[in-house]
PDB file of all heavy atoms in Angstrom:
ATOM      1  N   LEU R  30     133.384  99.360  79.686  1.00 88.00           N
ATOM      2  CA  LEU R  30     134.146  98.147  79.270  1.00 88.00           C
ATOM      3  C   LEU R  30     134.268  97.259  80.420  1.00 88.00           C
ATOM      4  O   LEU R  30     133.941  96.006  80.380  1.00 88.00           O
ATOM      5  CB  LEU R  30     135.436  98.552  78.819  1.00 88.00           C
ATOM      6  CG  LEU R  30     136.020  97.654  77.764  1.00 88.00           C
ATOM      7  CD1 LEU R  30     135.130  97.574  76.476  1.00 88.00           C
ATOM      8  CD2 LEU R  30     137.474  98.076  77.426  1.00 88.00           C
ATOM      9  N   GLN R  31     134.523  97.853  81.667  1.00 87.00           N
ATOM     10  CA  GLN R  31     134.582  97.004  82.897  1.00 87.00           C
ATOM     11  C   GLN R  31     133.256  96.279  83.257  1.00 87.00           C
ATOM     12  O   GLN R  31     133.202  95.163  83.578  1.00 87.00           O
ATOM     13  CB  GLN R  31     135.035  98.024  83.957  1.00 87.00           C
ATOM     14  CG  GLN R  31     136.013  97.397  84.891  1.00 87.00           C
ATOM     15  CD  GLN R  31     136.668  98.489  85.726  1.00 87.00           C
ATOM     16  OE1 GLN R  31     136.544  99.674  85.478  1.00 87.00           O
ATOM     17  NE2 GLN R  31     137.435  98.068  86.816  1.00 87.00           N
ATOM     18  N   ILE R  32     132.206  97.126  83.040  1.00 88.00           N
ATOM     19  CA  ILE R  32     130.830  96.461  83.218  1.00 88.00           C
ATOM     20  C   ILE R  32     130.634  95.306  82.271  1.00 88.00           C
ATOM     21  O   ILE R  32     130.160  94.311  82.699  1.00 88.00           O
ATOM     22  CB  ILE R  32     129.672  97.519  83.048  1.00 88.00           C
ATOM     23  CG1 ILE R  32     129.722  98.619  84.072  1.00 88.00           C
ATOM     24  CG2 ILE R  32     128.446  96.868  83.122  1.00 88.00           C
ATOM     25  CD1 ILE R  32     128.782  99.634  83.873  1.00 88.00           C
ATOM     26  N   PHE R  33     131.066  95.528  81.038  1.00 90.00           N
ATOM     27  CA  PHE R  33     130.902  94.409  80.100  1.00 90.00           C
ATOM     28  C   PHE R  33     131.710  93.253  80.562  1.00 90.00           C
ATOM     29  O   PHE R  33     131.130  92.136  80.409  1.00 90.00           O
ATOM     30  CB  PHE R  33     131.314  95.041  78.680  1.00 90.00           C
ATOM     31  CG  PHE R  33     131.141  94.142  77.661  1.00 90.00           C
ATOM     32  CD1 PHE R  33     129.943  93.727  77.020  1.00 90.00           C
ATOM     33  CD2 PHE R  33     132.269  93.399  76.958  1.00 90.00           C
ATOM     34  CE1 PHE R  33     129.732  92.797  76.066  1.00 90.00           C
ATOM     35  CE2 PHE R  33     132.175  92.537  75.994  1.00 90.00           C
ATOM     36  CZ  PHE R  33     130.850  92.258  75.507  1.00 90.00           C
ATOM     37  N   TYR R  34     132.848  93.465  81.014  1.00 91.00           N
ATOM     38  CA  TYR R  34     133.716  92.361  81.435  1.00 91.00           C
ATOM     39  C   TYR R  34     132.838  91.529  82.597  1.00 91.00           C
ATOM     40  O   TYR R  34     132.915  90.352  82.687  1.00 91.00           O
ATOM     41  CB  TYR R  34     134.979  92.693  81.931  1.00 91.00           C
ATOM     42  CG  TYR R  34     135.960  93.248  80.822  1.00 91.00           C
ATOM     43  CD1 TYR R  34     136.894  94.243  81.128  1.00 91.00           C
ATOM     44  CD2 TYR R  34     135.862  92.663  79.547  1.00 91.00           C
ATOM     45  CE1 TYR R  34     137.727  94.670  80.195  1.00 91.00           C
ATOM     46  CE2 TYR R  34     136.771  93.209  78.566  1.00 91.00           C
ATOM     47  CZ  TYR R  34     137.737  94.154  78.862  1.00 91.00           C
ATOM     48  OH  TYR R  34     138.598  94.666  77.874  1.00 91.00           O
ATOM     49  N   PHE R  35     132.425  92.415  83.469  1.00 90.00           N
ATOM     50  CA  PHE R  35     131.709  91.755  84.603  1.00 90.00           C
ATOM     51  C   PHE R  35     130.455  91.041  84.167  1.00 90.00           C
ATOM     52  O   PHE R  35     130.022  89.939  84.744  1.00 90.00           O
ATOM     53  CB  PHE R  35     131.411  92.722  85.757  1.00 90.00           C
ATOM     54  CG  PHE R  35     132.567  92.955  86.626  1.00 90.00           C
ATOM     55  CD1 PHE R  35     133.402  93.876  86.585  1.00 90.00           C
ATOM     56  CD2 PHE R  35     132.612  92.059  87.720  1.00 90.00           C
ATOM     57  CE1 PHE R  35     134.502  94.046  87.424  1.00 90.00           C
ATOM     58  CE2 PHE R  35     133.614  92.182  88.771  1.00 90.00           C
ATOM     59  CZ  PHE R  35     134.592  93.140  88.504  1.00 90.00           C
ATOM     60  N   VAL R  36     129.685  91.622  83.172  1.00 91.00           N
ATOM     61  CA  VAL R  36     128.500  90.862  82.660  1.00 91.00           C
ATOM     62  C   VAL R  36     128.958  89.559  82.153  1.00 91.00           C
ATOM     63  O   VAL R  36     128.280  88.513  82.355  1.00 91.00           O
ATOM     64  CB  VAL R  36     127.905  91.712  81.612  1.00 91.00           C
ATOM     65  CG1 VAL R  36     126.760  91.060  80.838  1.00 91.00           C
ATOM     66  CG2 VAL R  36     127.235  93.120  82.141  1.00 91.00           C
ATOM     67  N   ILE R  37     129.882  89.550  81.288  1.00 92.00           N
ATOM     68  CA  ILE R  37     130.363  88.284  80.612  1.00 92.00           C
ATOM     69  C   ILE R  37     130.758  87.308  81.595  1.00 92.00           C
ATOM     70  O   ILE R  37     130.445  86.289  81.629  1.00 92.00           O
ATOM     71  CB  ILE R  37     131.411  88.577  79.542  1.00 92.00           C
ATOM     72  CG1 ILE R  37     131.030  89.509  78.445  1.00 92.00           C
ATOM     73  CG2 ILE R  37     131.967  87.375  79.024  1.00 92.00           C
ATOM     74  CD1 ILE R  37     129.879  88.954  77.596  1.00 92.00           C
ATOM     75  N   GLY R  38     131.683  87.881  82.532  1.00 92.00           N
ATOM     76  CA  GLY R  38     132.253  87.090  83.715  1.00 92.00           C
ATOM     77  C   GLY R  38     131.096  86.416  84.505  1.00 92.00           C
ATOM     78  O   GLY R  38     131.050  85.247  84.684  1.00 92.00           O
ATOM     79  N   SER R  39     130.104  87.208  85.039  1.00 91.00           N
ATOM     80  CA  SER R  39     129.111  86.651  85.745  1.00 91.00           C
ATOM     81  C   SER R  39     128.248  85.767  85.010  1.00 91.00           C
ATOM     82  O   SER R  39     128.014  84.570  85.586  1.00 91.00           O
ATOM     83  CB  SER R  39     128.143  87.882  86.226  1.00 91.00           C
ATOM     84  OG  SER R  39     128.793  88.838  86.725  1.00 91.00           O
ATOM     85  N   ALA R  40     127.933  86.025  83.692  1.00 90.00           N
ATOM     86  CA  ALA R  40     127.097  85.070  82.962  1.00 90.00           C
ATOM     87  C   ALA R  40     127.888  83.742  82.820  1.00 90.00           C
ATOM     88  O   ALA R  40     127.262  82.655  83.044  1.00 90.00           O
ATOM     89  CB  ALA R  40     126.744  85.639  81.569  1.00 90.00           C
ATOM     90  N   VAL R  41     129.118  83.728  82.465  1.00 92.00           N
ATOM     91  CA  VAL R  41     129.833  82.609  82.177  1.00 92.00           C
ATOM     92  C   VAL R  41     130.001  81.683  83.498  1.00 92.00           C
ATOM     93  O   VAL R  41     129.676  80.452  83.562  1.00 92.00           O
ATOM     94  CB  VAL R  41     131.267  82.840  81.558  1.00 92.00           C
ATOM     95  CG1 VAL R  41     132.032  81.605  81.583  1.00 92.00           C
ATOM     96  CG2 VAL R  41     131.021  83.403  80.210  1.00 92.00           C
ATOM     97  N   ILE R  42     130.442  82.449  84.636  1.00 92.00           N
ATOM     98  CA  ILE R  42     130.701  81.762  85.847  1.00 92.00           C
ATOM     99  C   ILE R  42     129.373  81.118  86.440  1.00 92.00           C
ATOM    100  O   ILE R  42     129.216  79.901  86.621  1.00 92.00           O
ATOM    101  CB  ILE R  42     131.321  82.630  86.834  1.00 92.00           C
ATOM    102  CG1 ILE R  42     132.743  83.009  86.370  1.00 92.00           C
ATOM    103  CG2 ILE R  42     131.396  81.996  88.191  1.00 92.00           C
ATOM    104  CD1 ILE R  42     133.439  84.025  87.198  1.00 92.00           C
TER     105      ILE R  42
END
Side-chain angles (χ1 to χ4, degrees):
Chain R
L30 207 63
Q31 220 163 350
I32 293 179
F33 183 69
Y34 292 149
F35 270 94
V36 166
I37 300 293
S39 310
V41 168
I42 293 172

